[in-house]
Amino acid sequence: LLVENQRPKGSCPYLFTWDGERFVLITDCLWSSALGMKLAHGVEMPFDRQHNYLVIPGDKLKPKNGRYEVRFTNELWEAPYLDQAELWVVDHPADVEVFTNARIPPDAKEPFRLHTAKQKRVPKAARDHRGRDVLDVIAHRDGHYLGGFRRQRYVGLAEPHYLELDLGDFSLGDLGKAKQVMLFLTGWIWPTDTSGNVAISQDPRFAGPTGVVGGAQPPALLVADGKGGWTTLLPMMGFMSGKMQTVAVPLAVEQFPSKDYRVRIATSMEIYWDEVMFTVDESLAEHTLKKLSAAAAELRYRGYSRIQQVSPTSPFVHDYHDVDPRPAWLPVPGRCTRHGPVAELLTAADSQYVVMSPGDELALSFNELPLPRPGWARTFIFYGNGWLKDFDMNGSAGEAIGPYPFDGMKRYPYAAPESHPYPQFLRDYLNREDDLDRFWNRLGASK
Ligand SMILES: [Ca+2]
């Protein structure tokens, strides 16, 4: 019997930062912009450019020789088209923690926002869908994740499950005057892919409503209705775009129908919560935000990080310093960006971008800023925009790197007379091809 462990073949490139001693994994990038991805048979994801705002805790990014070093690695069977990359430096009082309003699906009408949390509150009680007390699991961000649900036949799909939180009594004591609650939910998600989504949508046992990710119910927020039942307040609460991210969910106290202040986060996606906390009536803390473009950026071949999963509910964590240079994926037809300096491609969202092949890494260096003022601390945000394509034979144009996306394309894949607006960019930068012979030779040579 041969057992092959399931691991993602596509989902997103990885972001690593230099923490003073080594490169550490922060999270996934460009997660929500999968070109040609299908949510179900015949249901395509939007193909617009996507914006990513990824929080990097201050202790995970320290300067090295006057620069902040960030690594963006493409380790799955996919191609990122990274158009713009910036490091945002947020200085703030040391006693607040910084979050953003980023979530999946993004709300195009909602501008990017920071959130801060000063007095973090732990729910009074937490139970899972089987009635187990799970407060200890979700009370701290400690890499101890809440599982306890059955996985279904397809990656990313779980049995319907929920986390029930008792936030306390908003009619009494120090919570008695509360008007606005902000829930901060941190965790990781195992994504579905096109082939899985298409299969689920054609499988009557699992198919969900059309247009819903892989037939699964994305997280919804319910509140106790005071009559022993539950009311859905937010059918799409939003979820994180990968590993170890936080979703901020605003909730007005007056939205509770009764004095029962319990909420449920219900989903059938494969989501593992690490920490759930909330704040009450906090306004955005004083802060400064500076945006840095890369002082240098180099595209090069690197290989594949060793992957570790410490427990069945933990995310897969990549070890940057344990790398296998052998190719892991079959090359895909099409041209990628030539290796070498590429900083000029990353300064603007202009449809002139860096196309990476599997095994490539982008080394980004940003000039260090002076230390924050006394009593303040620093948090970083990696801002990136562009597109991503999984090489999935069930996806649209999922068998090749082209056609090359651009702002304003009317569909994907597009066809003549639509064409990329910068043919010279395509000629000058996209002139590297992975060839099949080299792939097989490399595999052979490694034995
Ligand atoms: Ca660009």
Side-chain angles (χ1 to χ4, degrees):
L1 178 72
L2 184 75
V3 177
E4 186 168 11
N5 287 329
Q6 272 188 334
R7 51 186 264 191
K9 78 175 171 31
S11 73
C12 38
Y14 303 117
L15 184 73
F16 297 88
T17 56
W18 179 256
D19 74 352
E21 285 173 17
R22 53 191 282 122
F23 282 103
V24 290
L25 178 68
I26 299 298
T27 187
D28 318 79
C29 303
L30 292 176
W31 205 83
S32 59
S33 48
L35 282 174
M37 178 157 177
K38 290 177 184 160
L39 299 174
H41 179 63
V43 182
E44 301 239 355
M45 246 174 91
F47 50 76
D48 305 332
R49 166 196 304 278
Q50 294 291 340
H51 303 266
N52 273 221
Y53 308 91
L54 305 168
V55 174
I56 304 169
D59 62 344
K60 298 275 174 72
L61 181 48
K62 300 288 183 195
K64 184 186 193 185
N65 304 324
R67 288 183 164 179
Y68 302 115
E69 295 293 338
V70 174
R71 299 289 180 268
F72 185 92
T73 67
N74 186 35
E75 309 200 24
L76 299 176
W77 204 33
E78 58 195 0
Y81 312 72
L82 184 66
D83 202 351
Q84 188 178 17
E86 291 178 340
L87 186 67
W88 295 1
V89 184
V90 184
D91 287 356
H92 52 84
D95 62 352
V96 305
E97 194 170 346
V98 172
F99 301 94
T100 76
N101 64 335
R103 63 181 182 275
I104 306 290
D107 179 351
K109 287 177 295 214
E110 186 183 290
F112 171 77
R113 252 183 238 130
L114 288 180
H115 293 301
T116 50
K118 185 169 179 176
Q119 192 183 348
K120 295 192 258 179
R121 295 162 190 268
V122 177
K124 216 173 87 188
R127 300 199 171 276
D128 73 1
H129 63 297
R130 299 192 204 279
R132 290 177 289 218
D133 177 355
V134 295
L135 185 59
D136 198 41
V137 182
I138 58 96
H140 315 278
R141 205 176 320 160
D142 54 5
H144 184 198
Y145 295 87
L146 178 63
F149 48 81
R150 262 195 336 270
R151 297 173 72 185
Q152 302 285 32
R153 178 184 176 138
Y154 300 99
V155 166
L157 184 66
E159 67 171 325
H161 56 104
Y162 62 75
L163 170 61
E164 184 178 305
L165 306 162
D166 184 348
L167 300 183
D169 192 338
F170 291 106
S171 64
L172 277 177
D174 73 323
L175 290 177
K177 291 199 176 88
K179 295 220 167 351
Q180 185 66 40
V181 172
M182 185 70 84
L183 281 170
F184 294 96
L185 302 106
T186 302
W188 72 281
I189 178 170
W190 191 318
T192 60
D193 62 16
T194 289
S195 287
N197 290 345
V198 169
I200 292 164
S201 70
Q202 294 173 334
D203 185 334
R205 289 169 299 170
F206 300 114
T210 303
V212 175
V213 189
Q217 168 62 53
L221 183 88
L222 294 80
V223 291
D225 67 3
K227 300 171 202 149
W230 294 83
T231 305
T232 301
L233 213 57
L234 300 170
M236 289 277 267
M237 181 193 90
F239 54 92
M240 51 287 196
S241 62
K243 291 188 255 299
M244 300 168 291
Q245 297 178 13
T246 303
V247 184
V249 182
L251 176 64
V253 172
E254 65 181 20
Q255 286 177 290
F256 287 99
S258 73
K259 287 189 177 177
D260 184 343
Y261 300 104
R262 285 177 303 153
V263 301
R264 277 184 183 175
I265 313 295
T267 184
S268 58
M269 293 176 82
E270 205 175 329
I271 293 181
Y272 301 89
W273 302 115
D274 186 356
E275 182 194 46
V276 181
M277 56 90 178
F278 65 102
T279 60
V280 168
D281 293 334
E282 285 196 22
S283 49
L284 182 62
E286 190 191 353
H287 67 277
T288 61
L289 191 160
K290 291 204 178 78
K291 299 180 180 182
L292 307 178
S293 290
E298 193 192 336
L299 180 65
R300 57 198 181 205
Y301 184 80
R302 173 177 163 268
Y304 300 88
S305 309
R306 188 170 56 89
I307 303 173
Q308 251 193 318
Q309 190 186 28
V310 299
S311 85
T313 58
S314 309
F316 292 87
V317 173
H318 294 68
D319 182 348
Y320 183 87
H321 298 279
D322 188 349
V323 59
D324 184 344
R326 289 173 298 176
W329 309 102
L330 196 64
V332 167
R335 288 166 291 115
C336 298
T337 307
R338 53 108 185 102
H339 285 156
V342 289
E344 69 272 23
L345 292 175
L346 297 170
T347 55
D350 54 4
S351 303
Q352 301 179 72
Y353 37 64
V354 176
V355 185
M356 300 169 73
S357 54
D360 279 354
E361 85 165 339
L362 182 60
L364 297 160
S365 311
F366 300 87
N367 287 330
E368 178 187 358
L369 291 185
L371 288 175
R373 68 175 97 156
W376 279 37
R378 180 164 284 170
T379 300
F380 300 89
I381 293 171
F382 179 79
Y383 168 68
N385 70 57
W387 294 265
L388 179 74
K389 177 151 65 177
D390 283 352
F391 299 129
D392 186 311
M393 297 311 146
N394 285 304
S396 302
E399 70 298 332
I401 293 168
Y404 298 95
F406 61 92
D407 274 331
M409 54 188 180
K410 292 191 179 63
R411 60 200 160 125
Y412 195 86
Y414 55 85
E418 272 198 287
S419 68
H420 193 282
Y422 300 109
Q424 192 174 348
F425 152 73
L426 300 181
R427 274 196 308 276
D428 292 352
Y429 286 98
L430 302 183
N431 46 29
R432 175 173 59 97
E433 240 170 299
D434 250 350
D435 73 74
L436 267 174
D437 288 347
R438 200 169 49 178
F439 170 78
W440 292 115
N441 290 341
R442 260 196 214 151
L443 276 189
S446 67
K447 276 177 193 157

